[in-house]
């Protein structure tokens, strides 16, 4: 193929090499949001601790003790419970261990909500609450 | 000409990129404990403006009905006979609705029942000590003690009046008290729905301590909202069944979170104003357990306030009378009994029927 022919071929196509490169990059970029949302869900269950309207997520697979101002949250073998609450009623200490998506422990006096979040067959649950 | 094609392709790609971003999540979400008493979840397809308006409305209602602070209701409760107490529009509205519901349910829904709750140790203080804590009451109230409280259990002893845009309540009998615990969350959920809709929301999930209000469909799944109904005896399983709802409220009353055991009796917080005993207990020369009673009543319908009141009324009325009452008002429901029976009233869309789970409920 001569140089002249190559130039002619390029001229006959509506796209140049760089155009295709830009298009390819943009197509890849357009899928970025999906990658982000998929990676956010890659750990199926996690712990969400909310206090004063601020939420923080913790891993359910890592054993640890999370020290908050009024209570200690214990994570062990995929289960979560509350130890050493400084509140008068100790409702949260008596709430037992939680591990299923949607289950929560609430400490009303200190305004702490501990919830297991993740993929669930339900958007919400209805029932008596403490 | 060729340049135009390139431009068009580029524009399409750029638009695709941005539209993918925006459809990831159109919701503003709030989860938290509000005012030391309510577990609140809000999910609305509007901004923080709307969510903050909803949170202030919860505060406003909590300020009027809370019995733990100097609220309008607390002031009324400690008032003397014939003392006129000024209240706000929320208390006045709830009182008016409560009175209608009291008549409609033949007294099964009764917001003056707190005197009995106190005697049984299942008022707010008793629940903290006996249900959540490890204390046990010294004894159960004697039946004659309960009968003496009967005269305090009538809404007819409270007169509501409105003068020059101010609202007043007055009791004719000292000691008559109101507790809107079985009404206020539903009342509030209805107000929050109105705020969301006024701000143009087409999809919302509102949960105030288990009172659900659902607007439209879930935009993430593009389907009706899926709601799991908690199992009343959650040993191996969390849910008793699953349903779908769009545009409506779901409220459940049950005997399984707030109760304590006393000499083999299960004393739970729902008191039957007609028998003077907690649901599941009867008096026959001594207290004994009822063989079959309602342990969970889920009510589905348009108004959360009505769902709230009806779910309590169904627990009190029992499965047969409760089902009849729901039918007569056109609300749907799922009622579970202590002997593993289940009654479905009206049109309920199940994703998981009560027979699908491990507990084998006999469908009535």
């Amino acid at each position: 193929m001569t140089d002249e022919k190559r130039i002619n071929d390029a001229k006959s196509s509506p796209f140049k090499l760089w155009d295709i490169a830009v298009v390819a990059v943009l197509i890849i970029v357009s899928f970025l949001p999906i990658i982000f949302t998929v990676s956010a869900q890659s750990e199926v269950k996690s712990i969400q601790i909310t206090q004063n309207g601020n939420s923080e997520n913790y891993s359910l697979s890592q054993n640890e003790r999370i020290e908050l101002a009024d209570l200690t949250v214990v994570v062990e073998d995929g289960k979560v419970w509350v130890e050493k609450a400084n509140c008068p009623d100790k409702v949260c200490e008596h709430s037992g261990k939680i591990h299923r998506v949607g289950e929560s422990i609430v400490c009303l006096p200190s305004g702490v909500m501990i919830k297991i979040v993740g993929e669930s067959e339900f958007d919400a649950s209805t029932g008596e609450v403490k | 000409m060729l340049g135009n094609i390139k431009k068009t392709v580029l524009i399409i790609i750029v638009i695709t990129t941005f539209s993918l971003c925006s459809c990831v999540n159109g919701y503003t979400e709030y989860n938290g404990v509000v005012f030391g008493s309510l577990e609140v979840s809000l999910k609305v397809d509007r901004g923080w403006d709307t969510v903050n308006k909803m949170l202030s409305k919860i505060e406003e209602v909590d300020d009027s009905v809370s019995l733990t602070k100097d609220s309008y209701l607390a002031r009324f409760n400690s008032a003397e006979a014939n003392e006129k107490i000024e209240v706000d529009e929320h208390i006045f509205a709830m009182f008016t609705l409560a009175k209608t519901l009291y008549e409609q349910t033949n007294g099964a829904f009764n917001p003056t029942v707190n005197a009995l709750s106190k005697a049984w140790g299942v008022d707010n203080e008793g629940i903290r000590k006996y249900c959540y804590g490890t204390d046990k009451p010294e004894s159960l109230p004697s039946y004659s003690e309960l009968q003496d409280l009967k005269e305090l259990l009538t809404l007819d002893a409270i007169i509501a009046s409105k003068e020059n845009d101010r609202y007043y309540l007055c009791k004719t009998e000292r000691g008559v008290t109101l507790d809107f615990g079985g009404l206020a969350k539903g009342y509030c959920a209805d107000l929050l729905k109105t705020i969301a809709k006024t701000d143009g929301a087409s999809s919302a999930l509102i949960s105030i301590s288990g009172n659900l209000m659902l607007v439209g469909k879930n935009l993430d799944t593009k389907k009706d909202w899926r709601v799991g109904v908690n199992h009343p005896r959650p040993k191996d399983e969390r849910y008793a069944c699953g349903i779908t709802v769009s545009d409506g409220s779901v409220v459940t009353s049950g005997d399984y979170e707030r109760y304590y055991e006393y000499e083999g009796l299960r004393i739970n917080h729902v008191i039957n104003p007609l028998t003077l005993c907690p649901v599941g207990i009867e008096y026959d020369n001594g207290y004994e357990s009822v063989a079959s009673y309602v342990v969970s009543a889920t009510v589905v319908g348009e108004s959360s306030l009505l769902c709230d009141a009806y779910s309590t009324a169904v627990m009190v009325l029992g499965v047969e009378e409760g089902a009849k009452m729901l039918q007569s008002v056109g609300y749907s429901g799922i009622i579970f009994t202590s002997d593993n029976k289940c009654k479905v009233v009206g049109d309920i869309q199940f994703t998981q029927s009560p027979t699908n789970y491990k507990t084998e409920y006999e469908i009535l």
Side-chain angles (χ1 to χ4, degrees):
Chain A
M1 200 187 281
T2 62
D3 282 353
E4 198 181 333
K5 186 148 187 252
R6 222 174 264 153
I7 290 160
N8 283 341
D9 273 356
K11 271 185 184 162
S12 68
S13 156
F15 297 106
K16 290 183 187 146
L17 185 64
W18 279 109
D19 293 331
I20 291 166
V22 166
V23 167
V25 166
L26 280 171
I27 287 173
I28 291 165
V29 167
S30 75
F31 283 103
L32 274 179
I34 294 175
I35 295 163
F36 282 127
T37 45
V38 170
S39 68
Q41 288 165 358
S42 65
E43 191 179 26
V44 186
K45 288 195 278 185
S46 64
I47 310 158
Q48 185 187 58
I49 300 183
T50 311
Q51 192 167 21
N52 307 323
N54 300 315
S55 294
E56 223 168 300
N57 277 53
Y58 297 85
S59 165
L60 195 58
S61 50
Q62 195 185 333
N63 291 354
E64 66 176 318
R65 298 172 71 83
I66 304 159
E67 307 278 347
L68 302 175
D70 297 311
L71 48 91
T72 305
V73 181
V74 184
V75 187
E76 207 176 288
D77 302 329
K79 294 192 171 165
V80 187
W81 66 96
V82 170
E83 248 180 42
K84 288 188 207 149
N86 287 334
C87 51
D89 55 18
K90 311 277 185 205
V91 174
C92 48
E93 273 187 35
H94 297 134
S95 293
K97 302 179 177 184
I98 57 168
H99 63 101
R100 290 175 283 206
V101 171
E103 285 184 313
S104 63
I105 299 175
V106 178
C107 180
L108 294 174
S110 60
V112 175
M113 187 156 103
I114 302 152
K115 200 173 179 181
I116 309 287
V117 292
E119 279 286 300
S120 164
E121 59 179 312
F122 298 119
D123 303 313
S125 59
T126 175
E128 271 288 318
V129 293
K130 283 203 160 104
Chain B
M1 168 69 189
L2 296 178
N4 279 349
I5 294 174
K6 274 194 274 180
K7 258 188 216 161
T8 316
V9 171
L10 278 175
I11 287 168
I12 288 170
I13 289 168
V14 170
I15 288 172
T16 318
T17 311
F18 281 97
S19 58
L20 270 172
C21 285
S22 65
C23 74
V24 167
N25 197 344
Y27 286 114
T28 306
E29 283 188 64
Y30 174 91
N31 288 293
V33 176
V34 186
F35 318 116
S37 60
L38 298 166
E39 197 183 322
V40 174
S41 271
L42 304 173
K43 180 169 175 166
V44 195
D45 68 336
R46 293 281 111 182
W48 278 105
D49 254 18
T50 307
V51 172
N52 286 332
K53 265 188 243 173
M54 293 163 93
L55 289 170
S56 342
K57 188 56 84 181
I58 299 174
E59 182 176 20
E60 198 182 303
V61 176
D62 188 65
D63 275 347
S64 7
V65 302
S66 169
L67 297 179
T68 51
K69 47 189 170 193
D70 181 30
S71 64
Y72 288 110
L73 205 57
R75 264 176 258 165
F76 168 77
N77 283 350
S78 54
E80 295 296 320
N82 302 318
E83 191 185 346
K84 219 162 144 189
I85 301 291
E86 184 171 357
V87 295
D88 67 350
E89 50 166 332
H90 298 307
I91 303 281
F92 190 81
M94 274 184 255
F95 178 80
T96 313
L97 291 159
K99 191 139 192 184
T100 313
L101 285 160
Y102 171 72
E103 282 151 17
Q104 196 179 42
T105 61
N106 295 320
F109 174 81
N110 184 341
T112 63
V113 85
N114 207 32
L116 287 175
S117 307
K118 206 168 175 173
W120 282 99
V122 288
D123 59 332
N124 285 341
E125 197 195 333
I127 285 171
R128 234 182 356 256
K129 281 201 299 210
Y130 311 134
C131 304
Y132 300 158
T134 47
D135 287 7
K136 284 278 167 277
E138 279 170 23
S139 60
L140 295 181
S142 71
Y143 197 65
S144 63
E145 196 182 316
L146 298 176
Q147 281 175 313
D148 289 343
L149 296 171
K150 253 183 170 172
E151 59 190 39
L152 304 179
L153 306 179
T154 170
L155 271 187
D156 301 326
I158 303 172
I159 298 152
S161 56
K162 188 182 169 188
E163 294 157 32
N164 307 324
D165 287 330
R166 284 167 179 267
Y167 306 98
Y168 300 92
L169 288 185
C170 183
K171 55 178 104 170
T172 54
E173 186 91 40
R174 190 177 178 271
V176 175
T177 59
L178 283 172
D179 181 356
F180 287 150
L183 205 68
K185 285 181 283 177
Y187 174 80
C188 200
D190 288 337
L191 294 181
L192 298 198
K193 179 186 84 174
T194 308
I195 292 174
K197 287 202 155 179
T198 308
D199 276 12
S202 64
S203 171
L205 188 160
I206 297 159
S207 171
I208 306 177
S209 289
N211 271 51
L212 296 179
M213 173 57 88
L214 306 151
V215 178
K217 288 171 188 292
N218 182 342
L219 297 181
D220 294 334
T221 59
K222 297 185 176 58
K223 289 186 176 140
D224 289 349
W225 296 98
R226 302 161 304 174
V227 177
V229 178
N230 288 0
H231 200 292
R233 299 289 181 265
K235 285 193 192 84
D236 315 312
E237 49 209 319
R238 190 161 170 237
Y239 298 109
C241 63
I243 61 174
T244 57
V245 180
S246 82
D247 283 314
S249 176
V250 187
V251 181
T252 301
S253 284
D255 75 336
Y256 52 92
E257 285 287 1
R258 284 169 279 179
Y259 73 95
Y260 65 90
E261 307 253 354
Y262 190 92
E263 288 172 1
L265 298 171
R266 189 186 177 100
I267 313 293
N268 90 90
H269 80 290
V270 184
I271 305 281
N272 184 338
L274 312 168
T275 65
L276 312 174
C277 296
V279 168
I281 305 278
E282 62 186 1
Y283 181 80
D284 185 12
N285 288 318
Y287 298 118
E288 48 195 60
S289 301
V290 180
S292 174
Y293 66 96
V294 176
V295 293
S296 169
T298 299
V299 177
V300 183
E302 193 189 340
S303 152
S304 198
L305 175 132
L306 294 183
C307 288
D308 211 350
Y310 291 150
S311 63
T312 310
V314 169
M315 294 243 351
V316 168
L317 290 169
V319 67
E320 293 301 325
E321 290 299 310
K324 264 189 226 161
M325 190 266 301
L326 286 183
Q327 267 158 2
S328 72
V329 294
Y331 271 48
S332 309
I334 310 161
I335 310 168
F336 292 103
T337 66
S338 54
D339 53 348
N340 287 354
K341 295 197 169 87
C342 174
K343 173 99 182 166
V344 179
V345 184
D347 186 24
I348 299 267
Q349 303 295 322
F350 284 103
T351 57
Q352 298 282 351
S353 94
T355 50
N356 272 11
Y357 282 89
K358 271 183 255 169
T359 311
E360 280 181 33
Y361 283 108
E362 183 195 331
I363 305 291
L364 292 170

